[in-house]
Amino acid sequence: MKRKKSDPKCAKKHLERLREMIAKDPPPLYKMSKEEIIRQLRKTREEIWEEKLAARP
């Protein structure tokens, strides 16, 4: 499969759209403190670990 050449104008347009979307509705991580982010990451990691162990025979 051939790869298309990158179009700098198109990439810039997409980047601007992403920035606008983030400015309108920032992700929850932007609103959290460092401690809250760490707590959330640990919780998620623990949930994934439990799911992996539960899936083992």
Side-chain angles (χ1 to χ4, degrees):
M1 185 181 223
K2 266 191 169 178
R3 208 170 165 191
K4 292 182 179 181
K5 287 187 177 181
S6 298
D7 182 11
K9 290 180 183 178
C10 185
K12 188 173 181 178
K13 181 180 172 184
H14 284 293
L15 180 62
E16 288 173 4
R17 283 183 57 214
L18 280 172
R19 286 180 176 163
E20 288 174 7
M21 288 170 53
I22 290 171
K24 276 186 189 176
D25 186 27
L29 288 178
Y30 285 25
K31 301 173 187 175
M32 298 169 89
S33 69
K34 184 177 177 181
E35 291 80 20
E36 290 173 325
I37 292 171
I38 292 170
R39 194 175 316 122
Q40 183 64 39
L41 288 172
R42 287 180 177 156
K43 180 181 173 187
T44 304
R45 182 180 61 196
E46 187 175 320
E47 289 172 2
I48 291 170
W49 183 255
E50 286 175 2
E51 286 178 19
K52 286 180 98 176
L53 286 177
R56 287 188 170 180

